[in-house]
Amino acid sequence: MLVAFDTETTGVNYWHGDRPFLVTFQFESGRQARFRTMVDPFTRKIVWSKQRLADMQRLFSDPDLHFVAHNLKFDRRMLEGIGLSLPSHIDDTFVAMHTLRSHERHGLKAVCKRYLSIDDDDEKELTRATISARRIAKKRNWQLAEDVAADYWMAPREVCLKYALRDVERTLALWQNVSPLLDEEGCREVYDREMRLLRVTAELETRGMHIDLAVVDQMIERYEKVVDSLTDKIETNTWVGFSCTKPNDIRKLVYEKLSVVPTVFTEKGLPCADKDVLRDIDHPTILDIRNWRAADSAISKLTQYKELAVGGVLHPDFQQNGPITGRYSCKMPNLQNVSKGIQEDERVIPVEAREPFGPREGWLWIAFDYSQVEARLLAALSHEPTLCEAFKEGRDVHKEMALRIWGDESKRTLAKQIVYATIYGAGKEIIAKKFNISLAAASAAIRQFHKAAPRIRAYSRELQQELADNGYIRTLGGRRIYTDPARPYAVLDHKIQGTAADQTKMAMLRVHTFLPSLPDTHLISTVHDELILETKHEFTPATYRKVMALMSETWPEVTIPLDVDASIIRKSWAKKEKVKL
């Protein structure tokens, strides 16, 4: 029998003590079950009775029940956190909806309102009741959360229960509707792969990434001194009370005091005062403002790491089913945008946010990173001979393109940027700004590139036709991507990024299966095209080659080798030692 379940919790951060206070079940037969415990209003701690835990465990241990949840990774962690053991196979309507319609929002209420015409009046009612209850709780000195939803336990029980039961009703009805669609639309294989990966993702989060909080404190102190020094200097050169973060102050400085002629405007018709405008202005005070912002941003990031770390370990929330392409995203904190300390403008302070990250004492990190995977997939899928031959023979493809187009290998960086601009759908404006050349020169460079590699543009047109015919495109891994018809130029980006996402995810599954043969070794992170392992033992050359081979394994259509580089991190993520085999 099919059974949907859901949790209501004291917050979303398991690692900082949030736990479920209400668990609800909806059986296919129409029966419902609910289990609730008390929340200490002063500490927000909960304690489940042995009897209630035993009753729930009996349900989860029943072999005749087939369970489904919406956002299983969250619910599983919360329930296992109070001592329950859940079946290995549970379906997930959140993953199913992302597999079927990755371009849409996948919140349970939004999906059920859109496809099942189930209103969200219960959520609105509970929110109003909770806001009212929080006013009373504040007077009683109860501990309130920042998010209203984390205080649903304060609302009248019958209102909270109505909401919770409606959620499991939604989940059950949604699965009954979307499960057949996975087969009808040829998406079952992708869904099954994502579900296998869900446990791997949870293990990444559980292991977490070690961070040296003493180094974090030192870095914060260093950047605070920069901010203090620049604040005084900037005020001296502008006016008292000038703020580096207020657009109106920036606008007044740039367009009134410095008399810069505005060329870019906001939707409201005001001259732009964003970072792109500042980057193009060569003035010492503007450079000071950019440095102030870089240092202030570093403080914010480092402070967040410090606040979220538990025992010197960050347990991020890896969003396996976030972006439209199937790529991972990450939050709480975002470990996919940890700065490497590389700035486009060498005059601006480099923010090396990777410095405090590193392996636990007595451990190593080993990073395996795909080499130019997007450019390789572009070559393989477009069958562009110039790129294919260079990659197959191990030559520098960007230098090759520079020589072929301009007869000048010093233009390698320009050729590389055009390759990636082609993938991402960027135009002449980006190239012109990047290389400080005119729009005409940028247009000419792009034309010359496509003349030398004509199959790329032809392949893009083929994908646009596929989108027009079907309303979506498919990656090599079988993933459907519903590219916006108003942005047909994005199909090439979605095809390449989506296929790269499939490649990385399949590699994660293969590497994870191999890990039990390596003692004391864990997969701890995926950052773009990189997998990071934490191990107590130096890898042998054979082990390196095995992991690389597992990651390089790909589809028959990809006739170009997907090379993988390896690096060792002994102390700090900022310092990698390249592995030479």
Side-chain angles (χ1 to χ4, degrees):
M1 182 190 298
L2 185 63
V3 183
F5 70 95
D6 188 31
T7 61
E8 302 304 327
T9 65
T10 56
V12 297
N13 196 328
Y14 172 87
W15 307 105
H16 284 254
D18 294 328
R19 293 294 185 272
F21 66 90
L22 176 61
V23 185
T24 49
F25 297 84
Q26 175 67 53
F27 294 75
E28 196 171 17
S29 64
R31 173 191 163 204
Q32 293 179 325
R34 75 294 304 266
F35 300 88
R36 179 163 180 156
T37 191
M38 297 292 292
V39 179
D40 185 315
F42 300 104
T43 66
R44 302 181 67 85
K45 302 295 183 184
I46 60 112
V47 177
W48 283 90
S49 72
K50 291 182 180 179
Q51 184 60 54
R52 285 193 176 95
L53 291 175
D55 290 342
M56 283 191 283
Q57 188 60 66
R58 270 194 295 274
L59 285 177
F60 282 121
S61 300
D62 189 335
D64 294 327
L65 300 182
H66 170 200
F67 291 94
V68 61
H70 191 83
N71 194 5
L72 173 63
K73 179 164 71 75
F74 177 83
D75 289 326
R76 182 187 286 277
R77 187 177 299 286
M78 284 292 177
L79 291 173
E80 290 180 346
I82 60 173
L84 295 177
S85 176
L86 274 61
S88 57
H89 177 76
I90 298 176
D91 281 301
D92 188 339
T93 48
F94 180 85
V95 175
M97 285 308 304
H98 186 272
T99 302
L100 291 165
R101 303 288 184 271
S102 64
H103 60 300
E104 295 178 350
R105 291 172 55 223
H106 306 111
L108 182 61
K109 312 296 186 301
V111 170
C112 290
K113 193 170 186 178
R114 186 184 311 121
Y115 289 103
L116 303 180
S117 300
I118 300 176
D119 205 350
D120 58 357
D121 55 324
D122 55 316
E123 182 177 40
K124 294 173 182 175
E125 180 185 8
L126 178 57
T127 300
R128 288 193 298 269
T130 303
I131 291 172
S132 178
R134 278 162 57 101
R135 294 192 192 103
I136 298 170
K138 187 175 182 181
K139 293 176 182 177
R140 295 175 177 173
N141 292 320
W142 288 8
Q143 191 177 141
L144 273 62
E146 290 185 12
D147 182 18
V148 171
D151 286 337
Y152 281 168
W153 56 273
M154 295 182 184
R157 283 193 168 217
E158 66 276 8
V159 179
C160 187
L161 181 60
K162 174 185 174 183
Y163 168 85
L165 289 174
R166 283 283 293 278
D167 266 4
V168 284
E169 291 170 6
R170 288 182 175 99
T171 303
L172 185 73
L174 184 58
W175 179 249
Q176 290 171 329
N177 280 267
V178 302
S179 181
L181 282 179
L182 291 170
D183 296 312
E184 292 169 18
E185 299 189 3
C187 297
R188 177 69 68 175
E189 183 180 343
V190 175
Y191 170 76
D192 288 344
R193 185 170 69 230
E194 291 289 337
M195 291 306 298
R196 291 197 304 275
L197 191 62
L198 209 58
R199 290 307 294 263
V200 179
T201 303
E203 288 182 24
L204 260 68
E205 296 173 354
T206 300
R207 180 67 181 176
M209 296 185 77
H210 176 261
I211 184 167
D212 190 329
L213 296 179
V215 175
V216 170
D217 285 335
Q218 292 167 11
M219 293 179 70
I220 290 174
E221 183 179 357
R222 186 164 75 234
Y223 287 119
E224 283 177 340
K225 288 179 179 177
V226 172
V227 165
D228 291 342
S229 171
L230 287 175
T231 298
D232 293 339
K233 184 179 179 184
I234 292 167
E235 276 202 356
T236 299
N237 293 319
T238 55
W239 57 85
V240 175
F242 176 89
S243 172
C244 293
T245 60
K246 289 183 178 178
N248 284 339
D249 282 7
I250 298 294
R251 201 173 282 117
K252 183 178 178 182
L253 171 65
V254 170
Y255 300 111
E256 294 181 22
K257 186 168 183 178
L258 300 183
S259 301
V260 173
V261 178
T263 56
V264 184
F265 297 86
T266 67
E267 291 181 359
K268 294 182 178 179
L270 296 172
C272 271
D274 59 19
K275 62 181 180 181
D276 291 334
V277 169
L278 296 185
R279 184 180 58 195
D280 294 336
I281 299 173
D282 186 12
H283 189 279
T285 300
I286 298 299
L287 180 59
D288 287 340
I289 291 170
R290 293 173 65 197
N291 277 318
W292 187 98
R293 286 181 166 185
D296 186 63
S297 174
I299 293 169
S300 296
K301 278 189 177 183
L302 291 164
T303 300
Q304 185 194 34
Y305 298 157
K306 186 176 177 179
E307 290 173 349
L308 290 175
V310 180
V313 177
L314 283 167
H315 301 275
D317 181 2
F318 282 105
Q319 302 283 292
Q320 181 181 322
N321 303 104
I324 186 174
T325 58
R327 286 278 200 186
Y328 271 91
S329 60
C330 185
K331 63 181 184 178
M332 295 174 62
N334 183 358
L335 295 184
Q336 295 194 324
N337 72 344
V338 181
S339 172
K340 297 179 181 179
I342 300 171
Q343 295 280 19
E344 289 185 10
D345 188 336
E346 61 183 15
R347 298 172 302 168
V348 177
I349 296 170
V351 178
E352 181 47 275
R354 294 190 174 195
E355 185 180 334
F357 289 89
R360 293 163 172 83
E361 186 71 29
W363 294 72
L364 300 168
W365 283 1
I366 301 183
F368 292 90
D369 189 11
Y370 284 106
S371 173
Q372 300 177 310
V373 66
E374 291 158 358
R376 290 173 186 271
L377 289 173
L378 174 66
L381 296 177
S382 68
H383 302 291
E384 172 50 53
T386 305
L387 298 178
C388 289
E389 290 168 13
F391 276 128
K392 285 179 179 178
E393 295 176 15
R395 302 198 302 272
D396 185 327
V397 67
H398 304 303
K399 185 184 292 186
E400 187 110 343
M401 289 303 297
L403 285 169
R404 185 180 178 89
I405 298 168
W406 301 290
D408 183 358
E409 67 178 42
S410 69
K411 292 190 175 181
R412 179 190 183 278
T413 304
L414 177 58
K416 179 180 178 179
Q417 286 297 324
I418 294 176
V419 168
Y420 287 103
T422 300
I423 294 173
Y424 302 142
K428 59 186 178 182
E429 293 81 7
I430 300 296
I431 297 297
K433 180 171 286 190
K434 180 80 175 177
F435 292 93
N436 196 27
I437 58 178
S438 68
L439 288 175
S443 293
I446 293 170
R447 281 197 306 273
Q448 291 166 324
F449 173 83
H450 284 294
K451 184 177 180 180
R455 270 298 303 158
I456 294 175
R457 185 161 278 171
Y459 180 60
S460 181
R461 286 195 290 267
E462 291 168 13
L463 289 175
Q464 290 177 30
Q465 187 60 53
E466 181 184 344
L467 176 65
D469 292 343
N470 303 324
Y472 61 86
I473 59 170
R474 275 196 190 271
T475 65
L476 284 190
R479 186 184 305 278
R480 281 193 184 200
I481 300 180
Y482 288 82
T483 303
D484 184 351
R487 300 176 61 242
Y489 55 84
V491 290
L492 184 61
D493 175 38
H494 287 169
K495 179 79 170 191
I496 300 300
Q497 295 278 357
T499 298
D502 293 339
Q503 176 69 36
T504 300
K505 287 181 169 181
M506 292 167 72
M508 288 176 68
L509 287 169
R510 289 190 291 265
V511 170
H512 183 264
T513 301
F514 174 63
L515 287 185
S517 66
L518 303 176
D520 301 316
T521 303
H522 308 270
L523 183 58
I524 63 166
S525 181
T526 172
V527 179
H528 305 302
D529 303 315
E530 180 180 70
L531 302 184
I532 301 178
L533 306 183
E534 187 167 47
T535 181
K536 272 193 171 182
H537 311 283
E538 294 269 5
F539 281 6
T540 64
T543 301
Y544 278 111
R545 292 191 180 96
K546 177 62 176 178
V547 175
M548 290 172 169
L550 291 170
M551 290 181 64
S552 298
E553 188 178 326
T554 188
W555 301 273
E557 295 92 331
V558 181
T559 57
I560 291 171
L562 299 182
D563 291 353
V564 176
D565 298 324
S567 303
I568 298 177
I569 296 104
R570 299 186 183 278
K571 186 171 178 60
S572 169
W573 195 8
K575 297 176 181 177
K576 291 183 175 182
E577 302 173 18
K578 190 172 179 61
V579 174
K580 297 180 180 179
L581 297 176

